[in-house]
Amino acid sequence: QEGMPQTLSSTSMFTPCGFSPHLHTSKEGEQGGLIFQDGNLTSASLDALIQHLIPTTDYYPEVSNSQYNKWFNFDELGKHFMQKPHELLSRVCHKCIEQQRLDDPVLDKARIRKFGPKILQLLTEWTETFPYDFQEERMIGPPENKENMIHRIAPCDEAYWKKMNQLLQALNQKLATLSHGQEGIVKISTAVSDKLVAFKTKPPSIQREILSVCSDPYTLAQQLTHVELERLSHIGPEEFVQAFVHKDPLDGTKTCFSEQKKTSNLEAYVKWFNRLCYLVATEICMPAKKKQRAQVIEFFIDVARECFNIGNFNSLMAIISGMNMSPVSRLKKTWSKVKTAKFFILEHQMDPTGNFYNYRTALRGAAHRSLTAHSNREKIVIPFFSLLIKDIYFLNEGCANRLPNGHVNFEKFLELAKQVGEFITWKQVECPFEQDPNIIHYLHTAPIFTEDGLYLASYESESPENQTEKDRWKSLRSTILGKT
């Protein structure tokens, strides 16, 4: 059901005037190590591609569809085919020093004044798009470093020093913000206890449930959207690159980029999804009375529907997944009291059939709405994250990095850039809803059952129907409650 994603045909990455002046494009064919098809770059040798993506005195690689595509490709190429970001920077610096004759005893100042702004622009875009690459000190080395272009071109114009200092200040500020964001993000309560089943026997005044914290489905959907956008804001594009990067076979025996992996925000986001699934299931299985359980189910159906309307597909899928967990779905007497028509409509939207055809159609609709939006409310697109990761994984695994002729498969990297670039645009939307700290705190910290705890709560609510369930109930009562 969840096979290879549809790969869209690539759009042109560079504007017609964006090609390097010493390369001549043709409708189809190879020029200077670059292969074009109908004016689009489809493959290239790694050396030619790096050459193509760095500036000269009278050329800068402009991007027709999005600046981000260029940078995702540039950075991803470095991480797929080299070991660390500083190796890519080193290669870029060597090429620039060679081309601009920066080793000459007497520098051509007129030439450097044309080249200087372009290389500073390149470094500015790189530091803004992939700040984590610059956590290593050797990325911007000391003046005596032979690869330090800035210290070679700076004497030609005082403005270069000023620009470089501004760049470094902005970079340090961004790295500090990202670091603070990682530390400050609300920690998800993952320490779940089966002993919480004992809540079912305690007075209602001690027990706290979602409806006592927020009884309005619209408000809860909006607060879930707050959590989603907050968590998404910390996921950088480099996490996608590093999550799936492999060592290139033509790169000898060097180890992969694995020791540099920084995918903690991405992993934390997946944990949030799992927590929301279990929170929904816990809230449904917790109440002792059937009428209350049915009320909670109907409440979450309304929350899920509002998430769909907002464009928050990740929370929507987590809620549906929670309601479809076996301990919840087996509660037949409870479900008989629920008006299920709305639930079936939502289930249909998130049906995995046809590689999630219905969901992908709804996502495209939300993406189109976002493009033409006049308010942040209409700009919200929060994709079903696990499927996005799966799509990127299959695209990365299913398409070769290199073609049979040894060239880099540029079309693959362009499609990866398109998918990740779209996500980066969506995650930058500012949440338009007023934040309710009390509800958000509850979502992150409310106690949740483990799978065993959910089953025990479910059996305590509606007795086992067959011998297998009876045996499991007996076992769980013994291990969790200490009862025989």
Side-chain angles (χ1 to χ4, degrees), residues 380-406:
I380 297 169
V381 184
I382 301 168
F384 172 28
F385 195 65
S386 297
L387 188 61
L388 175 71
I389 294 285
K390 203 169 280 187
D391 282 354
I392 292 169
Y393 175 80
F394 279 122
L395 178 59
N396 193 50
E397 291 294 305
C399 303
N401 289 340
R402 291 187 188 265
L403 300 173
N405 64 358

Side-chain angles (χ1 to χ4, degrees), residues 330-342:
R330 67 167 295 279
L331 299 170
K332 293 185 177 64
K333 291 174 186 170
T334 302
W335 280 96
S336 70
K337 299 284 180 191
V338 175
K339 298 185 187 88
T340 51
K342 287 186 285 186

Side-chain angles (χ1 to χ4, degrees), residues 415-468:
E415 180 59 25
L416 281 169
K418 180 180 172 294
Q419 290 198 14
V420 177
E422 202 169 35
F423 168 77
I424 297 303
T425 303
W426 295 336
K427 87 183 186 82
Q428 288 167 347
V429 173
E430 201 173 317
C431 193
F433 309 120
E434 193 177 337
Q435 196 170 1
D436 186 320
N438 192 32
I439 297 172
I440 286 175
H441 179 74
Y442 184 86
L443 289 170
H444 280 111
T445 61
I448 55 174
F449 294 146
T450 59
E451 193 175 354
D452 279 349
L454 284 172
Y455 270 109
L456 180 54
S458 180
Y459 295 143
E460 296 279 321
S461 297
E462 292 188 21
S463 300
E465 290 188 342
N466 54 49
Q467 194 56 46
T468 308

Side-chain angles (χ1 to χ4, degrees), residues 79-82 245-256 400-403 406 412:
K79 284 165 188 165
H80 268 87
F81 298 102
M82 294 167 208
V245 74
H246 291 294
K247 181 169 74 72
D248 181 47
L250 298 184
D251 206 27
T253 55
K254 285 182 180 178
T255 56
C256 179
N401 289 340
R402 291 187 188 265
L403 300 173
K412 167 187 171 171

Side-chain angles (χ1 to χ4, degrees), residues 214 216-233 269 272 276 302-319 369 376-383 426-436 439-440 443-444:
C214 177
D216 177 33
Y218 295 96
T219 303
L220 186 60
Q222 290 173 0
Q223 297 311 304
L224 284 168
T225 303
H226 253 296
V227 174
E228 298 282 355
L229 287 171
E230 161 68 12
R231 290 193 163 272
L232 282 183
S233 71
Y269 190 50
W272 152 251
L276 184 53
D302 287 338
V303 174
R305 189 169 65 161
E306 186 56 24
C307 284
F308 180 85
N309 293 337
I310 288 171
N312 179 358
F313 297 105
N314 202 55
S315 289
L316 164 66
M317 194 59 172
I319 293 168
R369 177 183 72 182
N376 278 351
R377 171 68 180 76
E378 294 171 306
K379 282 181 186 173
I380 297 169
V381 184
I382 301 168
W426 295 336
K427 87 183 186 82
Q428 288 167 347
V429 173
E430 201 173 317
C431 193
F433 309 120
E434 193 177 337
Q435 196 170 1
D436 186 320
I439 297 172
I440 286 175
L443 289 170
H444 280 111

Side-chain angles (χ1 to χ4, degrees), residues 7 10 33 35 41-46 49 73 76-77 80-81 248 395-417:
T7 304
S10 302
I35 292 181
L41 178 61
T42 57
S43 77
S45 67
L46 183 61
L49 200 48
N73 277 312
E76 190 179 16
L77 287 167
H80 268 87
F81 298 102
D248 181 47
L395 178 59
N396 193 50
E397 291 294 305
C399 303
N401 289 340
R402 291 187 188 265
L403 300 173
N405 64 358
H407 275 197
V408 173
N409 181 1
F410 193 69
E411 281 192 294
K412 167 187 171 171
F413 289 100
L414 193 56
E415 180 59 25
L416 281 169

